[in-house]
Amino acid sequence: VESALMARQVAREIRNLTDYRFIYKHYRDSDSGSRTFVFFCAQLKGQETKERLVEDPKRQRMRMKMDRFACNGWLRVTFANDDASTARIQLMHHHAHTPYVDINLGQKQKDLI
């Protein structure tokens, strides 16, 4: 659990440094006892969530969509034997693109609505 929290912290720090947001995908345990946490670039083409349409046309709405890119952006954070004090960080991001922008409504906007 501690290593999972540290991996997410690494992803947040990478975002602060690069303006690219990385979303948690899964983790893998190796035979040697290490655990690797895998994240993908939030704007990676092919990793978007499926759009769920509501059948009632009155309830359907337009959504802002984020631009997607074939950037091959992946982040891997590996801890040996669940030791969160030392990590191997692998960052791959082949193509520069516009930075991630959070398009969610803030609490102020939600309260206004």
mmCIF file of all heavy atoms in Angstrom, residues 64-92:
data_model
loop_
_atom_site.group_PDB
_atom_site.id
_atom_site.type_symbol
_atom_site.label_atom_id
_atom_site.label_comp_id
_atom_site.label_asym_id
_atom_site.label_seq_id
_atom_site.Cartn_x
_atom_site.Cartn_y
_atom_site.Cartn_z
ATOM 1 N N MET A 64 -17.304 18.326 -23.407
ATOM 2 C CA MET A 64 -16.017 18.802 -23.912
ATOM 3 C C MET A 64 -15.090 17.597 -23.951
ATOM 4 O O MET A 64 -15.060 16.794 -23.025
ATOM 5 C CB MET A 64 -15.435 19.855 -22.970
ATOM 6 C CG MET A 64 -16.169 21.161 -22.984
ATOM 7 S SD MET A 64 -15.488 22.343 -21.796
ATOM 8 C CE MET A 64 -13.788 22.430 -22.274
ATOM 9 N N LYS A 65 -14.389 17.448 -25.038
ATOM 10 C CA LYS A 65 -13.464 16.324 -25.150
ATOM 11 C C LYS A 65 -12.037 16.852 -25.180
ATOM 12 O O LYS A 65 -11.760 17.879 -25.785
ATOM 13 C CB LYS A 65 -13.750 15.510 -26.402
ATOM 14 C CG LYS A 65 -15.067 14.773 -26.330
ATOM 15 C CD LYS A 65 -15.242 13.850 -27.496
ATOM 16 C CE LYS A 65 -16.562 13.119 -27.358
ATOM 17 N NZ LYS A 65 -16.765 12.171 -28.410
ATOM 18 N N MET A 66 -11.185 16.109 -24.527
ATOM 19 C CA MET A 66 -9.788 16.465 -24.486
ATOM 20 C C MET A 66 -9.126 16.032 -25.788
ATOM 21 O O MET A 66 -9.463 14.993 -26.350
ATOM 22 C CB MET A 66 -9.154 15.712 -23.308
ATOM 23 C CG MET A 66 -7.766 16.111 -23.011
ATOM 24 S SD MET A 66 -7.062 15.294 -21.565
ATOM 25 C CE MET A 66 -8.382 14.422 -20.811
ATOM 26 N N ASP A 67 -8.189 16.835 -26.261
ATOM 27 C CA ASP A 67 -7.421 16.439 -27.435
ATOM 28 C C ASP A 67 -6.574 15.227 -27.076
ATOM 29 O O ASP A 67 -6.039 15.121 -25.969
ATOM 30 C CB ASP A 67 -6.498 17.575 -27.887
ATOM 31 C CG ASP A 67 -7.271 18.747 -28.470
ATOM 32 O OD1 ASP A 67 -8.381 18.522 -28.980
ATOM 33 O OD2 ASP A 67 -6.755 19.875 -28.403
ATOM 34 N N ARG A 68 -6.460 14.288 -28.012
ATOM 35 C CA ARG A 68 -5.679 13.060 -27.813
ATOM 36 C C ARG A 68 -4.530 13.040 -28.801
ATOM 37 O O ARG A 68 -4.633 13.559 -29.915
ATOM 38 C CB ARG A 68 -6.554 11.821 -28.026
ATOM 39 C CG ARG A 68 -7.737 11.732 -27.083
ATOM 40 C CD ARG A 68 -7.270 11.415 -25.707
ATOM 41 N NE ARG A 68 -8.389 11.389 -24.775
ATOM 42 C CZ ARG A 68 -8.327 10.840 -23.594
ATOM 43 N NH1 ARG A 68 -7.224 10.265 -23.181
ATOM 44 N NH2 ARG A 68 -9.365 10.866 -22.801
ATOM 45 N N PHE A 69 -3.436 12.402 -28.392
ATOM 46 C CA PHE A 69 -2.227 12.383 -29.206
ATOM 47 C C PHE A 69 -1.588 10.998 -29.178
ATOM 48 O O PHE A 69 -1.693 10.277 -28.192
ATOM 49 C CB PHE A 69 -1.213 13.411 -28.677
ATOM 50 C CG PHE A 69 -1.774 14.795 -28.573
ATOM 51 C CD1 PHE A 69 -2.348 15.234 -27.390
ATOM 52 C CD2 PHE A 69 -1.748 15.644 -29.660
ATOM 53 C CE1 PHE A 69 -2.876 16.514 -27.288
ATOM 54 C CE2 PHE A 69 -2.271 16.924 -29.573
ATOM 55 C CZ PHE A 69 -2.836 17.357 -28.386
ATOM 56 N N ALA A 70 -0.892 10.663 -30.257
ATOM 57 C CA ALA A 70 -0.134 9.409 -30.322
ATOM 58 C C ALA A 70 1.258 9.666 -29.746
ATOM 59 O O ALA A 70 2.271 9.547 -30.416
ATOM 60 C CB ALA A 70 -0.050 8.915 -31.761
ATOM 61 N N CYS A 71 1.291 10.033 -28.462
ATOM 62 C CA CYS A 71 2.539 10.464 -27.822
ATOM 63 C C CYS A 71 3.326 9.303 -27.214
ATOM 64 O O CYS A 71 4.481 9.472 -26.846
ATOM 65 C CB CYS A 71 2.234 11.484 -26.735
ATOM 66 S SG CYS A 71 1.173 10.861 -25.410
ATOM 67 N N ASN A 72 2.683 8.147 -27.098
ATOM 68 C CA ASN A 72 3.303 6.982 -26.470
ATOM 69 C C ASN A 72 3.814 7.324 -25.074
ATOM 70 O O ASN A 72 4.911 6.938 -24.683
ATOM 71 C CB ASN A 72 4.428 6.417 -27.345
ATOM 72 C CG ASN A 72 4.697 4.955 -27.038
ATOM 73 O OD1 ASN A 72 3.839 4.272 -26.482
ATOM 74 N ND2 ASN A 72 5.870 4.488 -27.386
ATOM 75 N N GLY A 73 2.996 8.055 -24.319
ATOM 76 C CA GLY A 73 3.378 8.497 -22.985
ATOM 77 C C GLY A 73 3.064 7.467 -21.916
ATOM 78 O O GLY A 73 1.901 7.160 -21.662
ATOM 79 N N TRP A 74 4.107 6.916 -21.314
ATOM 80 C CA TRP A 74 3.969 5.916 -20.247
ATOM 81 C C TRP A 74 4.926 6.245 -19.125
ATOM 82 O O TRP A 74 6.019 6.751 -19.344
ATOM 83 C CB TRP A 74 4.265 4.514 -20.779
ATOM 84 C CG TRP A 74 3.209 4.024 -21.710
ATOM 85 C CD1 TRP A 74 3.195 4.162 -23.079
ATOM 86 C CD2 TRP A 74 1.995 3.373 -21.372
ATOM 87 N NE1 TRP A 74 2.046 3.631 -23.603
ATOM 88 C CE2 TRP A 74 1.292 3.123 -22.575
ATOM 89 C CE3 TRP A 74 1.422 2.971 -20.170
ATOM 90 C CZ2 TRP A 74 0.051 2.503 -22.601
ATOM 91 C CZ3 TRP A 74 0.194 2.336 -20.208
ATOM 92 C CH2 TRP A 74 -0.486 2.112 -21.408
ATOM 93 N N LEU A 75 4.500 5.948 -17.908
ATOM 94 C CA LEU A 75 5.329 6.112 -16.720
ATOM 95 C C LEU A 75 5.295 4.795 -15.961
ATOM 96 O O LEU A 75 4.215 4.241 -15.717
ATOM 97 C CB LEU A 75 4.772 7.246 -15.849
ATOM 98 C CG LEU A 75 5.352 7.402 -14.448
ATOM 99 C CD1 LEU A 75 6.829 7.808 -14.522
ATOM 100 C CD2 LEU A 75 4.549 8.417 -13.648
ATOM 101 N N ARG A 76 6.486 4.295 -15.619
ATOM 102 C CA ARG A 76 6.580 3.068 -14.827
ATOM 103 C C ARG A 76 7.403 3.369 -13.584
ATOM 104 O O ARG A 76 8.498 3.921 -13.680
ATOM 105 C CB ARG A 76 7.228 1.956 -15.640
ATOM 106 C CG ARG A 76 6.337 1.451 -16.751
ATOM 107 C CD ARG A 76 7.038 0.377 -17.593
ATOM 108 N NE ARG A 76 6.170 -0.104 -18.650
ATOM 109 C CZ ARG A 76 5.999 0.498 -19.823
ATOM 110 N NH1 ARG A 76 6.645 1.608 -20.089
ATOM 111 N NH2 ARG A 76 5.176 0.003 -20.725
ATOM 112 N N VAL A 77 6.855 3.023 -12.438
ATOM 113 C CA VAL A 77 7.536 3.225 -11.161
ATOM 114 C C VAL A 77 7.681 1.857 -10.512
ATOM 115 O O VAL A 77 6.691 1.196 -10.223
ATOM 116 C CB VAL A 77 6.742 4.183 -10.242
ATOM 117 C CG1 VAL A 77 7.496 4.430 -8.950
ATOM 118 C CG2 VAL A 77 6.432 5.494 -10.956
ATOM 119 N N THR A 78 8.932 1.436 -10.300
ATOM 120 C CA THR A 78 9.215 0.098 -9.769
ATOM 121 C C THR A 78 9.865 0.194 -8.396
ATOM 122 O O THR A 78 10.820 0.950 -8.211
ATOM 123 C CB THR A 78 10.145 -0.676 -10.723
ATOM 124 O OG1 THR A 78 9.521 -0.734 -12.013
ATOM 125 C CG2 THR A 78 10.399 -2.084 -10.232
ATOM 126 N N PHE A 79 9.337 -0.583 -7.471
ATOM 127 C CA PHE A 79 9.893 -0.692 -6.125
ATOM 128 C C PHE A 79 10.363 -2.129 -5.919
ATOM 129 O O PHE A 79 9.644 -3.074 -6.246
ATOM 130 C CB PHE A 79 8.842 -0.358 -5.067
ATOM 131 C CG PHE A 79 8.320 1.042 -5.172
ATOM 132 C CD1 PHE A 79 7.121 1.311 -5.818
ATOM 133 C CD2 PHE A 79 9.025 2.098 -4.621
ATOM 134 C CE1 PHE A 79 6.642 2.601 -5.913
ATOM 135 C CE2 PHE A 79 8.548 3.393 -4.718
ATOM 136 C CZ PHE A 79 7.357 3.650 -5.363
ATOM 137 N N ALA A 80 11.544 -2.282 -5.348
ATOM 138 C CA ALA A 80 12.066 -3.617 -5.060
ATOM 139 C C ALA A 80 11.512 -4.101 -3.727
ATOM 140 O O ALA A 80 11.597 -3.393 -2.716
ATOM 141 C CB ALA A 80 13.589 -3.596 -5.022
ATOM 142 N N ASN A 81 10.917 -5.280 -3.738
ATOM 143 C CA ASN A 81 10.418 -5.922 -2.508
ATOM 144 C C ASN A 81 9.518 -5.008 -1.677
ATOM 145 O O ASN A 81 9.613 -4.979 -0.458
ATOM 146 C CB ASN A 81 11.589 -6.422 -1.655
ATOM 147 C CG ASN A 81 12.425 -7.417 -2.421
ATOM 148 O OD1 ASN A 81 11.905 -8.267 -3.129
ATOM 149 N ND2 ASN A 81 13.735 -7.303 -2.304
ATOM 150 N N ASP A 82 8.677 -4.248 -2.338
ATOM 151 C CA ASP A 82 7.721 -3.343 -1.688
ATOM 152 C C ASP A 82 8.412 -2.320 -0.790
ATOM 153 O O ASP A 82 7.866 -1.875 0.205
ATOM 154 C CB ASP A 82 6.661 -4.132 -0.911
ATOM 155 C CG ASP A 82 5.346 -3.379 -0.839
ATOM 156 O OD1 ASP A 82 5.061 -2.602 -1.776
ATOM 157 O OD2 ASP A 82 4.617 -3.555 0.151
ATOM 158 N N ASP A 83 9.654 -1.966 -1.116
ATOM 159 C CA ASP A 83 10.411 -0.948 -0.383
ATOM 160 C C ASP A 83 10.147 0.396 -1.050
ATOM 161 O O ASP A 83 10.663 0.675 -2.130
ATOM 162 C CB ASP A 83 11.903 -1.291 -0.402
ATOM 163 C CG ASP A 83 12.758 -0.217 0.241
ATOM 164 O OD1 ASP A 83 12.195 0.642 0.958
ATOM 165 O OD2 ASP A 83 13.983 -0.245 0.034
ATOM 166 N N ALA A 84 9.359 1.226 -0.393
ATOM 167 C CA ALA A 84 8.946 2.495 -1.000
ATOM 168 C C ALA A 84 10.012 3.586 -0.876
ATOM 169 O O ALA A 84 9.808 4.693 -1.334
ATOM 170 C CB ALA A 84 7.641 2.965 -0.370
ATOM 171 N N SER A 85 11.147 3.270 -0.272
ATOM 172 C CA SER A 85 12.171 4.302 -0.092
ATOM 173 C C SER A 85 13.042 4.477 -1.339
ATOM 174 O O SER A 85 13.673 5.517 -1.507
ATOM 175 C CB SER A 85 13.052 3.977 1.116
ATOM 176 O OG SER A 85 13.765 2.777 0.892
ATOM 177 N N THR A 86 13.088 3.474 -2.221
ATOM 178 C CA THR A 86 13.893 3.560 -3.438
ATOM 179 C C THR A 86 13.055 3.085 -4.622
ATOM 180 O O THR A 86 12.447 2.026 -4.560
ATOM 181 C CB THR A 86 15.152 2.680 -3.327
ATOM 182 O OG1 THR A 86 15.861 3.048 -2.145
ATOM 183 C CG2 THR A 86 16.042 2.857 -4.531
ATOM 184 N N ALA A 87 13.062 3.872 -5.683
ATOM 185 C CA ALA A 87 12.261 3.523 -6.851
ATOM 186 C C ALA A 87 13.074 3.689 -8.124
ATOM 187 O O ALA A 87 13.962 4.538 -8.204
ATOM 188 C CB ALA A 87 11.021 4.397 -6.934
ATOM 189 N N ARG A 88 12.752 2.875 -9.119
ATOM 190 C CA ARG A 88 13.277 3.074 -10.465
ATOM 191 C C ARG A 88 12.129 3.689 -11.263
ATOM 192 O O ARG A 88 11.021 3.151 -11.301
ATOM 193 C CB ARG A 88 13.704 1.746 -11.093
ATOM 194 C CG ARG A 88 14.273 1.954 -12.504
ATOM 195 C CD ARG A 88 14.722 0.664 -13.106
ATOM 196 N NE ARG A 88 13.534 -0.147 -13.344
ATOM 197 C CZ ARG A 88 13.565 -1.396 -13.767
ATOM 198 N NH1 ARG A 88 14.705 -2.010 -13.946
ATOM 199 N NH2 ARG A 88 12.456 -2.056 -13.985
ATOM 200 N N ILE A 89 12.408 4.823 -11.886
ATOM 201 C CA ILE A 89 11.370 5.549 -12.616
ATOM 202 C C ILE A 89 11.723 5.532 -14.094
ATOM 203 O O ILE A 89 12.818 5.931 -14.481
ATOM 204 C CB ILE A 89 11.263 6.996 -12.109
ATOM 205 C CG1 ILE A 89 10.902 6.995 -10.624
ATOM 206 C CG2 ILE A 89 10.248 7.777 -12.927
ATOM 207 C CD1 ILE A 89 11.040 8.339 -9.970
ATOM 208 N N GLN A 90 10.779 5.051 -14.903
ATOM 209 C CA GLN A 90 10.943 5.043 -16.360
ATOM 210 C C GLN A 90 9.843 5.910 -16.947
ATOM 211 O O GLN A 90 8.663 5.640 -16.739
ATOM 212 C CB GLN A 90 10.835 3.623 -16.902
ATOM 213 C CG GLN A 90 11.922 2.689 -16.400
ATOM 214 C CD GLN A 90 11.622 1.263 -16.793
ATOM 215 O OE1 GLN A 90 10.702 0.655 -16.271
ATOM 216 N NE2 GLN A 90 12.399 0.738 -17.731
ATOM 217 N N LEU A 91 10.241 6.932 -17.659
ATOM 218 C CA LEU A 91 9.291 7.854 -18.275
ATOM 219 C C LEU A 91 9.529 7.847 -19.776
ATOM 220 O O LEU A 91 10.656 8.026 -20.233
ATOM 221 C CB LEU A 91 9.483 9.269 -17.718
ATOM 222 C CG LEU A 91 8.646 10.373 -18.330
ATOM 223 C CD1 LEU A 91 7.167 10.120 -18.120
ATOM 224 C CD2 LEU A 91 9.046 11.716 -17.730
ATOM 225 N N MET A 92 8.474 7.603 -20.518
ATOM 226 C CA MET A 92 8.560 7.604 -21.973
ATOM 227 C C MET A 92 7.468 8.535 -22.489
ATOM 228 O O MET A 92 6.304 8.427 -22.081
ATOM 229 C CB MET A 92 8.345 6.181 -22.505
ATOM 230 C CG MET A 92 8.423 6.085 -23.997
ATOM 231 S SD MET A 92 8.448 4.383 -24.645
ATOM 232 C CE MET A 92 7.297 3.521 -23.627
#
